[in-house]
Amino acid sequence: MADDDAETPDAEDSQRRKLRLIGYSTGLSGLLTVGVSRVFADPYDPLVFGLGFLTIATLVFEYTEDRPVGLSLGFLTAGVIVWLTPVLSPEASFAFTGVILVLFGLLNVVFPPFALFFSNLGRRLARRGSD
């Protein structure tokens, strides 16, 4: 069964590794967001374009070097969050967004079983809904 393969120890170790990679790049994106928000008066454009460039560059690197996808997903997630920050909360600062990204990154790196629990819960609910 293909669904049972996702719950093997090797698959769980691979998921844990991907979560750590996502956490590293999300945390790095948060640090970059805080830094850029301190340097520029209006950091929106440099952040969106910079994180977009990092996403594309790491995606190409992961593809050409046959690396597991993870770093680019973290940069992509952070880029979307930074892109939507002015729309969702116009009064929020980019420094605060950067701190939140760092905390999300730490959560993925330090507590992967916590994130895996929600991943597995979603997989089980999706299976139940398709049956």
Side-chain angles (χ1 to χ4, degrees):
M1 296 195 148
D3 292 333
D4 294 335
D5 292 341
E7 297 176 6
T8 63
D10 290 337
E12 189 171 314
D13 187 45
S14 174
Q15 286 180 333
R16 195 169 286 188
R17 193 173 325 119
K18 284 181 184 179
L19 282 172
R20 285 207 169 122
L21 288 173
I22 291 170
Y24 292 143
S25 58
T26 305
L28 179 61
S29 297
L31 292 174
L32 288 172
T33 302
V34 170
V36 169
S37 71
R38 298 291 179 208
V39 172
F40 292 99
D42 183 23
Y44 181 75
D45 288 336
L47 282 173
V48 170
F49 291 126
L51 290 174
F53 172 77
L54 283 173
T55 300
I56 293 169
T58 55
L59 190 63
V60 168
F61 175 74
E62 290 168 345
Y63 180 74
T64 57
E65 297 295 320
D66 200 27
R67 301 279 184 160
V69 176
L71 289 174
S72 60
L73 290 176
F75 287 129
L76 178 64
T77 303
V80 168
I81 290 172
V82 167
W83 177 55
L84 291 176
T85 296
V87 175
L88 298 176
S89 180
E91 66 276 351
S93 70
F94 285 102
F96 178 73
T97 303
V99 169
I100 295 298
L101 288 172
V102 169
L103 291 176
F104 282 157
L106 285 174
L107 183 72
N108 279 338
V109 171
V110 177
F111 301 111
F114 180 72
L116 284 174
F117 168 77
F118 288 107
S119 174
N120 292 333
L121 178 67
R123 189 177 302 116
R124 282 184 269 154
L125 289 174
R127 248 189 264 146
R128 186 181 306 168
S130 66
D131 291 341

